[in-house]
């Protein structure tokens, strides 16, 4: 385990089994649809790849980059679209937004609305982690990996100051790392 990590919250094995379950659910629900998985860069990348491997129906992948945080560790509540979908077939797309974590709920509630305004046929959401104790807006993802307590988690896509995204598990960051 990385020496900055206090404890492991979700092991690689657990992440794999969650992704299998969600992949199965998605494959069942999108059998007759035009599924487009839309990953939110950067954090969702590893989870999106893991879920993708477990989807057995035809699907496309795409990415957006949005920013809901300023430089601090709390959400600013505003959403900036830094990289948009460049598609002309939105009206045919059943968009499934893939996230690593739902925290305040601002990112996914705004992004869902944005995708609907762009004309997607349907918009649903999928997240590996859900931290309901931090919600600022009412929001529930359609596919949830697991609910976690209010801890500072990193790994498997989640960062602190752009680091730790490469850890293969989700871990709790030691306080001394971010409380300097
Ligand atoms: C994180 C995470 C979600 C969002 C969740 O992204 O990946 O997109 O915050 O928080 P919310 O529910 O409070 O809106 P971040 O902006 O840190 O970008 P990153 O994916 O590049 O790390």
């Amino acid at each position: 385990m990385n020496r900055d990590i206090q404890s492991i919250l979700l092991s690689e094995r657990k992440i794999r089994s969650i992704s299998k379950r969600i992949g199965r659910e998605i494959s069942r629900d999108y059998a007759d649809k035009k599924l487009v998985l839309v990953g939110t860069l950067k954090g969702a990348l590893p989870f999106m790849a893991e879920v993708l491997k477990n989807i057995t129906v035809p699907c496309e992948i795409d990415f957006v980059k949005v920013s809901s945080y300023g430089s601090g560790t709390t959400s600013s509540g505003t959403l900036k679209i830094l990289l948009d979908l460049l598609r002309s077939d939105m009206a045919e797309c059943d968009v499934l937004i893939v996230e690593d974590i739902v925290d305040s709920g601002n990112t996914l509630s705004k992004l869902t609305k944005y995708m609907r305004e762009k004309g997607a046929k349907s918009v649903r959401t999928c997240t590996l982690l859900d931290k309901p104790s931090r919600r600022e807006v009412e929001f529930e993802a359609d596919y949830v990996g697991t609910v976690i307590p209010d801890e500072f988690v990193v790994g498997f896509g989640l960062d602190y100051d752009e680091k730790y995204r490469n850890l293969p598990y989700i871990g709790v960051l030691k306080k001394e790392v971010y409380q300097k």
Side-chain angles (χ1 to χ4, degrees):
M1 182 169 68
N2 185 291
R3 62 192 166 89
D4 294 343
I5 302 301
Q6 177 189 301
S7 58
I8 293 180
L9 203 60
L10 271 193
S11 65
E12 284 188 71
R13 196 177 155 168
K14 184 73 190 160
I15 294 171
R16 271 201 302 273
S17 78
I18 286 172
S19 306
K20 268 194 189 140
R21 178 201 20 110
I22 289 183
R24 264 199 311 270
E25 291 171 4
I26 293 170
S27 304
R28 179 197 63 205
D29 297 346
Y30 284 84
D32 302 315
K33 299 186 191 293
K34 181 171 175 169
L35 172 60
V36 181
L37 289 187
V38 175
T40 56
L41 296 172
K42 305 171 188 169
L45 184 71
F47 179 53
M48 173 133 154
E50 200 60 41
V51 168
L52 190 62
K53 290 195 287 188
N54 292 289
I55 293 179
T56 54
V57 295
C59 82
E60 296 184 21
I61 60 169
D62 226 320
F63 295 93
V64 291
K65 184 162 167 53
V66 299
S67 160
S68 65
Y69 284 86
S71 51
T73 52
T74 56
S75 171
S76 67
T78 56
L79 185 77
K80 275 193 226 151
I81 309 284
L82 304 173
L83 172 72
D84 207 346
L85 290 187
L86 300 170
R87 312 182 61 108
S88 53
D89 62 346
M90 283 304 283
E92 295 155 31
C93 294
D94 292 296
V95 167
L96 179 58
I97 305 170
V98 182
E99 263 291 15
D100 48 353
I101 187 165
V102 182
D103 198 325
S104 71
N106 283 308
T107 304
L108 275 189
S109 65
K110 289 192 167 72
L111 192 53
T112 304
K113 188 165 171 268
Y114 180 73
M115 289 294 161
R116 292 205 173 105
E117 283 165 6
K118 270 179 92 69
K121 187 173 179 191
S122 70
V123 184
R124 299 180 88 193
T125 56
C126 170
T127 185
L128 173 60
L129 307 175
D130 187 6
K131 231 191 228 187
S133 56
R134 297 255 305 173
R135 270 318 183 277
E136 291 171 11
V137 293
E138 218 174 286
F139 184 84
E140 254 184 75
D142 298 290
Y143 303 90
V144 176
T146 188
V147 172
I148 60 163
D150 189 11
E151 303 269 20
F152 198 130
V153 288
V154 294
F156 207 69
L158 287 106
D159 75 310
Y160 169 59
D161 203 14
E162 293 301 327
K163 291 189 272 291
Y164 309 105
R165 293 193 199 271
N166 55 318
L167 298 179
Y169 51 80
I170 302 281
V172 178
L173 192 62
K174 284 183 183 164
K175 278 203 174 64
E176 61 257 37
V177 178
Y178 58 92
Q179 287 183 346
K180 279 175 188 157

